[in-house]
Amino acid sequence: MMLGRLSNHNKRLSNHNKKLIIQPKYLWFLILCYIMVFFASNWFDPRQIKILGVSTGAGSIVFPLTYLFSDIITEVYGYKNARIAVWSAILFYLIFLFYGEFVVAFLSPYSTEKEALTSFLYVNNRIIVAAILSYCITEMVNSYLVAKLKILLDGKYMGLRFISATLTAYVFNELVYAPIAFYGLIPNLNDFIHHILSSWAFMVSIELLLLPFAIRLAKHTKIIENLDIYDTKTDFNPFSLNIQYRKKDNNSEEN
């Protein structure tokens, strides 16, 4: 009797699993790239640099890559997996910061080494708060727009969808990040506004340069993964951790 019930349960579980999409092969690598770019952009952003006459945070050079990877993950694997990538990046970033505080608290007894490590590991709390808040908002907005525009435009005009979502997310990013991170540090209001606009323009320019690469990579990934997820039934609650998709959500022609 018990064996019969167990057998029926296993059959139902097997049938249920068959309706779910097979675990992708390369999603883990894209999420890893996404997390590493997020780390780099936030760690170096407090360091101000000047490129071609434009003053900006050093993290602005690589920050557009977060949107590139987010766009590809959303386009190919769906919003749910992009959402997991966002929360994974935040989790590991917080672990990294807490460990940095631990290291600072138990630094080397040698004074010169202690000063160097303190200077290297120290991150302004305002920068941390600004980075995490802006990141949570803008990355979710970007992935949401990519997923919704894909449905609205029936999967066409990938470049237009990517850049529309990114431009909108960048506006949110500057409105949230810059006032928290740099207000007061740049005392002149005109200089502060110029910093926001120049940073926005700089990151948008990089995004436009990378757009053809993002489109080609997304299309190639769809082919090798045989995946093209549409979030028609997705719960877009940013706090949900559900990553399951059913085969009917995959619109790949080869599926």
Side-chain angles (χ1 to χ4, degrees):
M1 181 70 73
M2 289 294 295
L3 290 176
R5 290 179 181 177
L6 183 60
S7 176
N8 291 334
H9 173 74
N10 289 336
K11 287 180 181 179
R12 288 195 298 268
L13 185 61
S14 176
N15 291 332
H16 173 73
N17 290 334
K18 287 179 181 179
K19 296 179 182 179
L20 299 178
I21 292 176
I22 298 174
Q23 180 67 29
K25 299 177 183 177
Y26 303 106
L27 175 61
W28 68 270
F29 181 71
L30 289 173
I31 292 179
L32 179 61
C33 292
Y34 177 83
I35 292 173
M36 292 304 298
V37 171
F38 170 73
F39 268 54
S41 63
N42 283 283
W43 179 256
F44 289 108
D45 204 51
R47 286 75 175 171
Q48 295 295 297
I49 59 173
K50 195 170 187 177
I51 299 180
L52 301 175
V54 178
S55 297
T56 184
S60 300
I61 299 175
V62 294
F63 182 69
L65 290 173
T66 63
Y67 289 105
L68 183 151
F69 286 117
S70 178
D71 290 347
I72 295 172
I73 292 171
T74 307
E75 176 71 21
V76 179
Y77 303 99
Y79 172 85
K80 296 177 183 179
N81 286 305
R83 179 174 56 198
I84 286 294
V86 172
W87 288 120
S88 297
I90 292 175
L91 173 62
F92 287 111
Y93 185 58
L94 289 174
I95 293 173
F96 173 77
L97 291 175
F98 286 136
Y99 184 69
E101 292 295 321
F102 174 82
V103 172
V104 170
F106 297 95
L107 281 176
S108 168
Y110 304 106
S111 59
T112 54
E113 185 177 340
K114 184 172 184 178
E115 291 175 3
L117 281 171
T118 301
S119 176
F120 177 73
L121 292 171
Y122 175 73
V123 180
N124 190 294
N125 289 332
R126 285 176 58 181
I127 299 294
I128 296 173
V129 172
I132 293 176
L133 282 178
S134 64
Y135 176 75
C136 287
I137 296 171
T138 59
E139 292 293 338
M140 293 298 184
V141 167
N142 182 69
S143 296
Y144 174 84
L145 289 176
V146 170
K148 284 295 188 180
L149 288 173
K150 183 177 182 178
I151 297 171
L152 180 65
L153 298 177
D154 196 27
K156 301 176 182 177
Y157 312 111
M158 188 186 299
L160 176 62
R161 292 188 280 111
F162 280 10
I163 200 63
S164 297
T166 299
L167 290 177
T168 305
Y170 274 141
V171 172
F172 279 93
N173 179 72
E174 291 303 320
L175 290 176
V176 176
Y177 179 78
I180 299 175
F182 297 117
Y183 184 76
L185 300 178
I186 306 176
N188 186 285
L189 181 59
N190 290 333
D191 290 342
F192 180 68
I193 294 174
H194 179 265
H195 174 81
I196 292 177
L197 294 177
S198 61
S199 295
W200 182 85
F202 184 77
M203 290 189 292
V204 168
S205 299
I206 295 177
E207 192 74 28
L208 289 172
L209 289 173
L210 294 174
L211 184 61
F213 171 74
I215 294 171
R216 292 189 64 178
L217 183 56
K219 289 181 177 179
H220 183 66
T221 305
K222 286 183 181 182
I223 293 172
I224 62 177
E225 289 279 35
N226 190 24
L227 284 177
D228 189 11
I229 298 296
Y230 279 72
D231 286 282
T232 52
K233 301 288 186 179
T234 296
D235 176 9
F236 287 94
N237 177 4
F239 300 105
S240 173
L241 298 180
N242 176 27
I243 59 172
Q244 290 186 334
Y245 283 100
R246 298 185 182 277
K247 285 190 175 182
K248 62 182 180 181
D249 298 317
N250 182 11
N251 201 39
S252 175
E253 293 181 0
E254 298 180 11
N255 183 51

